[in-house]
Amino acid sequence: MILVLGGTGEARELAAVLTARGEHVVSSLAGRLADPVLPDGEVRVGGFGGVPGLTAWLAGHRPTAVVDATHPFAAGITANAAAACARAATPLLRLQRPGWTPGPGDDWRWVADLAEAAAVVRGTAFLTTGRQGVGAFAALPGRVLVRCVDPPTEPLPPGATLVLARGPFTVADELALMREHAVDVVVSKDSGGHMTAAKLVAARELGIPVVLVRRPPLPAGVPVVGTVAAAVAWLS
Ligand code: NAP
């Protein structure tokens, strides 16, 4: 059995490929979304209970390997997976899509975290960083457009406009939304991948800056691959 720590498109893709090959896959979701897109194969939902809980789960279920295919910004579960797999002597692979790189015409400003992003934005900001941590922007003085999948529980800036939507988004969608709300700056995590990259193209076309939050570092000593195909090759 292979445990896939999920919550991403890559995790679903990996579960689909492995299941189609006849592998027993258990995908684990944190349970953050009200209506998640479910992967193929077996699914478990909810936290394990920190490193001790995940270590006990590994000891009880004895997967042949764990693939941590969680989001690049899900640093807590990634650290827990590294610690628990070391304790349980279970092979661990990190599957993480590459980050975005700017091209000609892009005006990107890199910041360390959401607080620094909130400090540098000016004018009408389009926040695409997800509902977790959106409270960092609660005191923004300008107009704010917030887009996430489920409604945030953290406080939003006064007068913020909330758009509930799940990607993928097209460049045309993004251009229309950003024009409608007269967006001056886009705020994003360096999530990478194609599902949510259209906002970066739209920002370039509109000639507006993007504030990008850098990824947290990966745990030392864990092999990393950037594609589902490379993860499948590592597993076999
Ligand atoms: P996190 O801060 O790294 O994790 C916090 C806790 O949530 C973990 O300690 C663990 O609880 C539980 N958890 C997280 N992912 C889990 C999983 N796949 N299966 C079981 N438990 C999990 O995580 P997060 O940033 O809140 O992200 C939660 C989930 O949303 C992840 O699966 C991630 O792939 C997905 N996601 C995150 C983002 C983002 O920007 N952070 C964006 C898109 C999708 P216990 O300690 O109790 O085990």
Side-chain angles (χ1 to χ4, degrees), residues 88-165:
T90 308
L92 170 65
L93 177 70
R94 173 69 172 140
L95 166 57
Q96 179 169 274
R97 58 197 174 216
W100 288 313
T101 46
D106 282 326
D107 176 5
W108 292 7
R109 295 146 199 211
W110 292 92
V111 294
D113 52 29
L114 295 176
E116 192 184 339
V120 301
V121 300
R122 299 283 178 275
T124 299
F126 178 23
L127 306 183
T128 68
T129 49
R131 67 187 187 129
Q132 288 187 72
V134 75
F137 300 93
L140 270 193
R143 286 189 53 240
V144 177
L145 175 64
V146 181
R147 180 174 66 199
C148 27
V149 177
D150 285 328
T153 49
E154 297 174 32
L156 296 180
T161 304
L162 180 62
V163 174
L164 298 180

Side-chain angles (χ1 to χ4, degrees), residues 4-8 27-33 44-51 53-54 68-80 97 129-130 132 189 191:
V4 177
L5 300 171
T8 60
S27 292
S28 176
L29 303 179
R32 298 275 189 278
L33 296 182
R44 68 163 297 287
V45 181
F48 293 94
V51 176
L54 182 50
D68 171 14
T70 57
H71 191 270
F73 282 80
I77 188 70
T78 289
N80 289 357
R97 58 197 174 216
T129 49
Q132 288 187 72
K189 293 174 176 170
S191 300

